[in-house]
Amino acid sequence: MARIRYGARTEAEITAARAAGSRLPDIWSTGVVAVWESDPEAVAAVLPPPLEPTGRPLVRANISKVELPGYPLGAGSVAVAAAHRGVEGWYPLVMPMTHERALTGGREVFGEPKKLGEVTVERDGPVVRAALARHGIAFVEVRGAVSGPLPVPEPSRKTDFYFKFLPAVDGSGFDLDPVLVHCLRHEKVRKLEKITGDVVLRESMYDPVADLPVRTLVELTLGEKTSDQQGRVVERVSARSLLPYVHQRYDDPQQLLDGPPEGSV
């Protein structure tokens, strides 16, 4: 009988797949990073407990092209500065990706708020344009020109915070209490340039980052970098405290309550 592809894999196949994943080479991306100070009240308002604001109301947009073997990937994020148990890091609100493959592991393993979207990074001589778009709206756009090289920073460690959860089958909340994940990234940079330009935030009902306005532009760079990531669950989170923020994850929160039409299964 021919191999049934939905059938169980052998232990050897599972082990080989894990080993292949652990031997991935450095994958370098080229991208724009914009960091700005926003309104303290706005940044605090988007942080689910137990996350807390840091001493500075920062917002960061990453917009990158990733040279994955076999196909290019556009990847981005918009995150706000946050702290938990004395650890400072970033809480991403939205992470557009251009391929479904890039969504699955991040969402299901780490709880990353990844969604399919359009990611643009273009350079024509010194002129740079980068954007994150969904539903036909470029809700973040960086426009400017490279104005000179910057010193390459030493390798660094950065922490992102994610909430991993499963909506309840009856629409009442969650199947289990959500967990807070600390995702530690080790980042290396091989090239960094300064951009002189600006950040444009456009109104979008699906990705309302315009609620985090640019008050002071802190950093605007174009760089080449690579990173790995390791996640760990640090604590279970009260379902009641997280439920008011669940809409951050979905274009239409009502879909959490939608079951299959009667007779459709």
Side-chain angles (χ1 to χ4, degrees):
M1 184 177 66
R3 175 72 181 269
I4 304 302
R5 288 168 289 178
Y6 274 129
R9 289 189 172 183
T10 66
E11 186 65 32
E13 288 172 323
I14 294 171
T15 300
R18 287 175 178 165
S22 67
R23 294 194 303 266
L24 288 175
D26 287 346
I27 297 174
W28 293 88
S29 65
T30 300
V32 169
V33 175
V35 179
W36 64 91
E37 278 197 10
S38 191
D39 295 335
E41 298 82 3
V43 171
V46 303
L47 292 174
L51 298 182
E52 298 177 339
T54 63
R56 199 174 180 190
L58 297 178
V59 184
R60 182 191 68 190
N62 283 334
I63 309 172
S64 298
K65 295 188 303 183
V66 187
E67 296 303 326
L68 287 176
Y71 65 96
L73 168 69
S77 72
V78 178
V80 297
H84 176 247
R85 294 185 182 176
V87 176
E88 292 197 358
W90 298 92
Y91 173 59
L93 296 167
V94 60
M95 301 177 70
M97 302 283 143
T98 57
H99 294 294
E100 179 70 26
R101 180 182 177 186
L103 304 184
T104 308
R107 287 191 311 202
E108 297 182 8
V109 177
F110 294 99
E112 294 173 329
K114 290 185 173 180
K115 299 178 180 179
L116 281 175
E118 299 172 21
V119 180
T120 302
V121 180
E122 300 171 335
R123 179 173 183 176
D124 184 5
V127 178
V128 175
R129 177 184 177 270
L132 300 176
R134 299 182 64 249
H135 301 286
I137 302 169
F139 58 91
V140 177
E141 183 177 2
V142 174
R143 303 178 301 199
V146 171
S147 55
L150 291 170
V152 174
E154 293 294 323
S156 62
R157 299 197 313 168
K158 297 180 179 179
T159 301
D160 282 348
F161 304 115
Y162 304 122
F163 291 94
K164 184 177 179 181
F165 57 82
L166 284 175
V169 294
D170 62 3
S172 63
F174 305 112
D175 279 332
L176 298 170
D177 282 341
V179 295
L180 174 60
V181 175
H182 283 199
C183 185
L184 180 63
R185 301 179 188 277
H186 297 89
E187 184 177 283
K188 294 185 293 185
V189 178
R190 67 184 181 187
K191 184 178 182 181
L192 194 64
E193 296 174 286
K194 181 179 179 180
I195 297 174
T196 300
D198 57 8
V199 177
V200 177
L201 305 179
R202 294 189 178 89
E203 175 58 33
S204 170
M205 64 179 291
Y206 304 104
D207 305 288
V209 298
D211 292 348
L212 302 165
V214 180
R215 298 306 185 204
T216 304
L217 190 56
V218 176
E219 174 187 342
L220 196 55
T221 60
L222 176 68
E224 298 178 8
K225 66 182 180 180
T226 185
S227 65
D228 60 19
Q229 64 182 45
Q230 296 176 324
R232 66 185 181 94
V233 172
V234 294
E235 67 174 86
R236 288 206 170 269
V237 176
S238 161
R240 173 174 288 187
S241 68
L242 187 60
L243 272 172
Y245 299 88
V246 168
H247 65 280
Q248 295 175 344
R249 194 67 58 89
Y250 303 98
D251 287 349
D252 179 8
Q254 184 62 32
Q255 67 185 309
L256 289 176
L257 307 179
D258 292 344
E262 188 173 348
S264 66
V265 177

